[in-house]
Amino acid sequence: MSTKKQPAWLEDAVFYEIYPQSFNDTNADGIGDIPGITEKLDYIRELGCTAIWINPCFDSPFGDAGYDVSDYYKVAPRYGTNEDLRRLFEEAHRRGMHILLDLVPGHTSVEHPWFRESLRAEKNAYTDRYIWTDSIWEEPAGYGSLRGISDRDGSCVVNFFSHQPALNYGFYKPERPWQQSMDSEGALATREEMKNVMRFWLSMGCDGFRVDMAGSLVKNDDNAKGTILLWQDIRRFLDEEFPDAAMVAEWGEPDKSLQGGFHMDFLLHFGPSHYNDLFRCENPYFAGNGDASEFVAKYIESYEKSERKGLICIPSGNHDMDRLARAVHGDKRKIAFAFLLSMPGAPFIYYGDEIGMRYVEGLTSVEGGYSRTGSRSPMQWDKSVNAGFSTAPKTMLYTKQDESADRPDAASQMSDENSLRSEIKRLIAVRKTHRALQSRGEIEFVYVGKSAYPLSYVRTCDNEKILVILNPSDSEAAFPCDLSLGECIYRFGGRISANAGMVTIPANSACYVEIK
Ligand code: BGC
Ligand code: CA
């Protein structure tokens, strides 16, 4: 497996993640929309991003911000129409950009008509669309369940919140009479329907999917053997009908997801990745007084397991975690981006992180966001009303905005050479012109000490070798290095110096140097 070809555009893609509710509202209802995204394509392109991932924009009661789909084939009316989405694909393509939609194959909303049908006592076409035990008195061991809301006698497995019933893709090893196998009629019908969903949007011009909880589909599947087989089957379908479709998994185990035919996977903020050690813990490494060594150890482990393909995308943040700016301040954010934009895999910039948008403290949960709500506030475009996000009355906005007088905004940062956004724009431009820095260049760590600075690694592609040195701490830092240093292709902060086998970098500085 994994001889699959990767769409060429993915090689040097830099993604921008859009939470559609909060990006740009064009009809003054306080909620972002699809035409709002189309309107801002030039802004995204100007930053240097070439691809976009949009969080679910399908019809939904929004109990989990759209991750509870009630119609996979229809854009939620609050975002516009399917035609608006088609136009967005076209406008993106005209600019050489690509768009991934968010596919949520693991569960639906309780309001999905499939689920309404599956609640019924009489057997029908959707009886086996979800996973049900065959008696209300049996709860599915090891899974959460929805119980007592149906005439049907049984408990329904849920995948995430208790209003998100799990679609039935079967059990790798069925152990109870109600547990169907992966090749049972019901499980196969679900799988075929999900292919139809993909077919529908890919035919309309979508370039691929970010797949929600991609590793969760087959149950009783400890090593994901069944889930991998399932995705391999989907890959075969794509190879036949949509060979250029890009697939990025929210899975966090690239050895598994890549086998399943995904092109890339994400480093997750939960599980064993130690990603949070970098930006989101008590002492994050990029806040200047932390430890990156366990992160690096884990990173190398999954890098080796995925045959050094380096296809683990590291996001600046996303709609599920605290804003990067919550714990990493000032110029240290620039150094964090010098890291994010020089690592293998495609970088993902969460909307607003390019201007250092803050986590909005103290918000009441909106649409099942809970603590995530503070990272989902409306984009700050400029200094006009509602920061240019919407002309609706303030009380109608999706969530409250950052109300501080000094809140960052895109327009101000675009006209300031020294802003975070301008720095990110320079970093993306450097990445674009150096293949070694892109997705597939190899990585070798040169220096990573226990609670030590700097962090240094070499990126290599063909004859190009680039040494990256990052020091987000408040002290000068040095490390042993006898590489023969050439031209500096990117620098933030002070200059590095090399002497007697040691390289020294000033406090709060970053640089990329060619190796001769
Ligand atoms: C998404 C979340 C969502 C969950 C359930 C996640 O991994 O990113 O926002 O709540 O899946 O669909
Ligand atoms: Ca709107």
Side-chain angles (χ1 to χ4, degrees):
M1 206 55 199
S2 73
T3 45
K4 67 195 169 291
K5 81 175 207 300
Q6 174 170 310
W9 63 266
L10 205 50
E11 293 274 320
D12 66 343
V14 178
F15 278 88
Y16 192 83
E17 178 193 341
I18 294 180
Y19 186 73
Q21 293 86 321
S22 293
F23 194 57
N24 184 29
D25 173 22
T26 57
N27 63 347
D29 63 355
I31 311 277
D33 42 57
I34 306 282
I37 300 176
T38 310
E39 193 176 279
K40 295 295 184 181
L41 283 174
D42 288 331
Y43 168 86
I44 298 166
R45 190 75 188 88
E46 196 270 351
L47 178 63
C49 292
T50 53
I52 294 174
W53 153 32
I54 308 177
N55 292 112
C57 54
F58 316 108
D59 217 357
S60 165
F62 294 101
D64 184 15
Y67 283 94
D68 47 333
V69 177
S70 58
D71 186 346
Y72 285 99
Y73 297 97
K74 184 176 168 212
V75 166
R78 73 182 200 183
Y79 296 140
T81 62
N82 286 12
E83 201 40 46
D84 289 329
L85 191 51
R86 183 203 300 278
R87 203 166 315 122
L88 171 60
F89 296 146
E90 277 168 17
E91 288 297 319
H93 295 159
R94 277 196 334 120
R95 291 164 174 81
M97 299 170 81
H98 294 89
I99 296 198
L100 301 188
L101 293 179
D102 206 318
L103 183 72
V104 191
H107 47 270
T108 67
S109 152
V110 281
E111 291 184 18
H112 198 296
W114 301 341
F115 188 65
R116 308 314 301 175
E117 284 298 304
S118 93
L119 288 170
R120 289 152 56 115
E122 308 78 44
K123 196 164 166 52
N124 61 63
Y126 301 98
T127 299
D128 295 329
R129 179 60 42 104
Y130 298 83
I131 305 173
W132 288 85
T133 66
D134 49 19
S135 154
I136 187 73
W137 311 121
E138 178 166 353
E139 292 183 60
Y143 301 96
S145 64
L146 252 171
R147 306 178 63 229
I149 58 160
S150 58
D151 294 339
R152 175 180 185 160
D153 188 8
S155 310
C156 184
V157 172
V158 298
N159 227 26
F160 195 70
F161 288 147
S162 48
H163 57 72
Q164 287 160 318
L167 285 162
N168 175 28
Y169 295 92
F171 284 70
Y172 187 58
K173 286 195 187 123
E175 282 164 357
R176 304 278 306 136
W178 51 267
Q179 299 185 347
Q180 304 187 348
S181 67
M182 283 180 67
D183 56 10
S184 62
E185 204 184 318
L188 288 178
T190 310
R191 192 197 294 189
E192 290 312 308
E193 190 58 37
M194 220 28 80
K195 288 181 191 168
N196 282 337
V197 170
M198 298 172 82
R199 226 176 238 125
F200 182 80
W201 296 109
L202 290 167
S203 311
M204 194 180 282
C206 146
D207 298 293
F209 300 94
R210 173 268 189 188
V211 177
D212 188 64
M213 296 178 62
S216 76
L217 303 194
V218 178
K219 307 302 184 197
N220 279 4
D221 188 24
D222 287 347
N223 294 312
K225 289 212 173 73
T227 305
I228 291 170
L229 284 170
L230 183 147
W231 283 113
Q232 287 176 342
D233 174 56
I234 293 183
R235 185 71 249 169
R236 275 190 295 276
F237 139 69
L238 290 173
D239 283 344
E240 270 169 36
E241 297 182 34
F242 303 95
D244 289 330
M247 295 291 284
V248 182
E250 185 205 31
W251 192 321
E253 294 178 276
D255 49 323
K256 296 181 177 136
S257 50
L258 298 186
Q259 257 191 73
F262 282 93
H263 297 108
M264 294 185 178
D265 196 346
F266 277 106
L267 205 68
L268 300 180
H269 62 292
F270 49 88
S273 75
H274 282 277
Y275 166 77
N276 286 350
D277 297 4
L278 304 179
F279 312 114
R280 294 170 182 83
C281 62
E282 209 176 317
N283 289 306
Y285 188 75
F286 283 95
N289 186 23
D291 176 39
S293 63
E294 289 181 282
F295 161 79
V296 171
K298 268 285 162 203
Y299 184 89
I300 294 173
E301 196 184 303
S302 75
Y303 184 68
E304 296 293 342
K305 274 204 270 181
S306 53
E307 299 158 46
R308 302 174 66 80
K309 286 205 193 71
L311 299 169
I312 318 164
C313 303
I314 311 185
S316 69
N318 69 28
H319 60 291
D320 290 332
M321 55 177 121
D322 286 1
R323 283 274 182 193
L324 178 76
R326 196 179 195 190
V328 180
H329 301 125
D331 282 346
K332 295 185 199 295
R333 292 178 194 153
K334 298 177 179 170
I335 301 168
F337 274 96
F339 164 77
L340 290 164
L341 290 163
S342 62
M343 286 294 282
F348 277 71
I349 300 176
Y350 183 50
Y351 84 97
D353 277 355
E354 76 278 19
I355 56 168
M357 256 174 73
R358 300 180 184 124
Y359 178 88
V360 182
E361 306 286 343
L363 294 185
T364 303
S365 179
V366 173
E367 297 189 342
Y370 301 97
S371 61
R372 306 176 293 184
T373 306
S375 301
R376 300 175 171 188
S377 65
M379 177 69 181
Q380 294 149 207
W381 292 104
D382 55 37
K383 297 210 183 302
S384 67
V385 65
N386 298 326
F389 163 69
S390 168
T391 54
K394 205 178 186 158
T395 49
M396 278 173 66
L397 302 192
Y398 178 68
T399 74
K400 279 193 184 151
Q401 289 184 296
D402 175 359
E403 289 185 342
S404 13
D406 65 345
R407 69 182 173 198
D409 69 83
S412 311
Q413 293 212 7
M414 286 176 83
S415 56
D416 174 3
E417 272 298 285
N418 296 318
S419 68
L420 176 60
R421 191 183 183 284
S422 297
E423 201 61 48
I424 293 173
K425 189 176 162 182
R426 280 190 286 275
L427 280 162
I428 295 177
V430 174
R431 183 178 171 105
K432 286 275 161 59
T433 48
H434 293 86
R435 277 179 59 81
L437 293 174
Q438 295 170 9
S439 165
R440 284 187 175 255
E442 293 209 1
I443 183 165
E444 206 79 57
F445 287 87
V446 174
Y447 185 75
V448 47
K450 181 83 197 152
S451 302
Y453 292 85
L455 176 65
S456 179
Y457 43 88
V458 176
R459 300 291 319 277
T460 307
C461 183
D462 303 327
N463 295 327
E464 186 177 54
K465 265 183 183 299
I466 296 169
L467 178 70
V468 175
I469 313 171
L470 307 166
N471 181 16
S473 81
D474 290 330
S475 318
E476 175 182 281
F479 66 108
C481 173
D482 45 23
L483 296 165
S484 163
L485 305 185
E487 200 192 327
C488 173
I489 56 166
Y490 170 79
R491 178 166 70 84
F492 173 77
R495 284 180 194 287
I496 59 160
S497 57
N499 201 340
M502 293 295 284
V503 169
T504 304
I505 177 165
N508 295 307
S509 300
C511 81
Y512 303 169
V513 201
E514 276 170 351
I515 299 175
K516 286 189 265 192

